[in-house]
Amino acid sequence: MPSPFPGMDPYLERPDLWPDFHSDLASEIRARLNQRITPRYFARLSVSITYEVVEIGETHIVRPDVSVHRLSPSSEAGTSVAIPPAPAKSRIPLEVPLRLYSVEIRKTDTGQLVTVIEILSPVNKRVGHEAHADYLRKRRDLLRSAVHLMEIDLLRGGERPPLEDPVPPAPYYVLLSRADRRPTVEVWPIRLMDPLPVLPVPLLEPDPDVPLDLGAVVATVYERGAYGVQIDYRQPPPPPPLSEEEMAWLDARLRELGYR
């Protein structure tokens, strides 16, 4: 079942769907690039780990890493002493690991890093989260290097990585910073109703750019992930809220295709 949207599906931004979509998106980009760039280059996944705080209820049970065993009376040394309970109880934040994926293109014979494709996640755009600071630091290091950087931002929420000059407003963006053209960057603002673009992925001179059909990538990931049976298109899309124009277009689109 294909997505009802010609470009990015905003329902994929749902917190329970995004991690699965994000990881498969990176894998599909790697696979398509490797069909075109080998044997001179290869693409591989790069994984970083951050942590996300999860809410827990009073009845949540966590398996301890260390077990404490009560000694039997016969094995206790000396006189047993009654240990009173702690005077108060509280809770500490429970953190779970979160994997963030990017795609690296490297030269086969030397392993030289040529291009990095970053696929932004919600934590990369959440001010105050350590992944936000870590990403800005990594981005700054890449922009100071001789490595090409492509940023794919298919999330409407959060704070976008900074640009010096304003660009047309849009819910989604792709940015390409070629190492030999900085500080100028190429930007693709993508509206909700637009198809996703075919992107030029730069390599080393004199090799030409490699086309990456982002729309075909997202369509493949959508169908392979069976998201069509997991999404109820009768419900509003996840936050942040759409503009009036976007919401009117979305409603008309879903009604036209029989989803509402």
Side-chain angles (χ1 to χ4, degrees), residues 63-81:
R63 179 183 296 175
D65 292 326
V66 179
S67 298
V68 179
H69 301 278
R70 182 185 296 276
L71 297 175
S72 63
S74 60
S75 62
E76 293 179 354
T79 305
S80 61
V81 178

Side-chain angles (χ1 to χ4, degrees), residues 154-175:
L154 298 180
L155 293 163
R156 293 169 292 122
E159 181 170 302
R160 301 190 188 281
L163 290 172
E164 289 295 308
D165 303 313
V167 295
Y172 309 114
Y173 288 90
V174 176
L175 176 146

Side-chain angles (χ1 to χ4, degrees), residues 26 57 85 116 119 133 136 208 217:
V116 173
I119 305 166
L136 291 182
V217 169

Side-chain angles (χ1 to χ4, degrees), residues 58-116:
E58 294 291 342
T59 58
H60 188 89
I61 299 175
V62 180
R63 179 183 296 175
D65 292 326
V66 179
S67 298
V68 179
H69 301 278
R70 182 185 296 276
L71 297 175
S72 63
S74 60
S75 62
E76 293 179 354
T79 305
S80 61
V81 178
I83 302 176
K89 290 184 179 181
S90 184
R91 291 184 294 170
I92 58 174
L94 178 62
E95 296 184 320
V96 295
L98 182 64
R99 289 173 172 80
L100 306 178
Y101 296 88
S102 58
V103 179
E104 296 180 347
I105 297 178
R106 293 182 177 267
K107 193 82 162 37
T108 301
D109 54 354
T110 64
Q112 176 188 351
L113 181 60
V114 175
T115 304
V116 173

Side-chain angles (χ1 to χ4, degrees), residues 42-253:
F42 66 90
R44 72 181 184 189
L45 295 184
S46 175
V47 184
S48 60
I49 305 294
T50 189
Y51 289 85
E52 183 79 313
V53 175
V54 296
E55 297 292 332
I56 58 174
E58 294 291 342
T59 58
H60 188 89
I61 299 175
V62 180
R63 179 183 296 175
D65 292 326
V66 179
S67 298
V68 179
H69 301 278
R70 182 185 296 276
L71 297 175
S72 63
S74 60
S75 62
E76 293 179 354
T79 305
S80 61
V81 178
I83 302 176
K89 290 184 179 181
S90 184
R91 291 184 294 170
I92 58 174
L94 178 62
E95 296 184 320
V96 295
L98 182 64
R99 289 173 172 80
L100 306 178
Y101 296 88
S102 58
V103 179
E104 296 180 347
I105 297 178
R106 293 182 177 267
K107 193 82 162 37
T108 301
D109 54 354
T110 64
Q112 176 188 351
L113 181 60
V114 175
T115 304
V116 173
I117 301 175
E118 293 286 352
I119 305 166
L120 298 187
S121 279
V123 290
N124 297 139
K125 303 176 68 178
R126 188 186 306 162
V127 177
H129 195 287
E130 63 181 15
H132 177 260
D134 289 344
Y135 179 71
L136 291 182
R137 190 179 305 111
K138 177 182 180 181
R139 183 182 194 256
R140 184 174 61 248
D141 291 343
L142 287 170
L143 293 176
R144 290 173 174 174
S145 74
V147 176
H148 307 299
L149 170 64
M150 177 177 285
E151 290 177 326
I152 299 176
D153 184 359
L154 298 180
L155 293 163
R156 293 169 292 122
E159 181 170 302
R160 301 190 188 281
L163 290 172
E164 289 295 308
D165 303 313
V167 295
Y172 309 114
Y173 288 90
V174 176
L175 176 146
L176 174 58
S177 176
R178 299 176 186 267
D180 56 344
R181 298 184 190 175
R182 291 182 185 127
T184 300
V185 296
E186 300 164 65
V187 182
W188 287 260
I190 306 166
R191 299 185 306 161
L192 182 64
M193 55 283 291
D194 292 339
L196 295 171
V198 177
L199 301 169
V201 179
L203 302 172
L204 295 176
E205 292 289 349
D207 296 326
D209 295 343
V210 176
L212 175 65
D213 189 337
L214 187 59
V217 169
V218 169
T220 297
V221 172
Y222 182 94
E223 295 201 42
R224 188 165 56 206
Y227 296 112
V229 300
Q230 302 178 60
I231 296 172
D232 183 357
Y233 288 107
R234 296 170 298 178
Q235 302 299 319
L242 299 173
S243 69
E244 290 185 10
E245 178 189 8
E246 290 170 334
M247 196 64 206
W249 176 86
L250 178 143
D251 186 64
R253 175 80 179 180

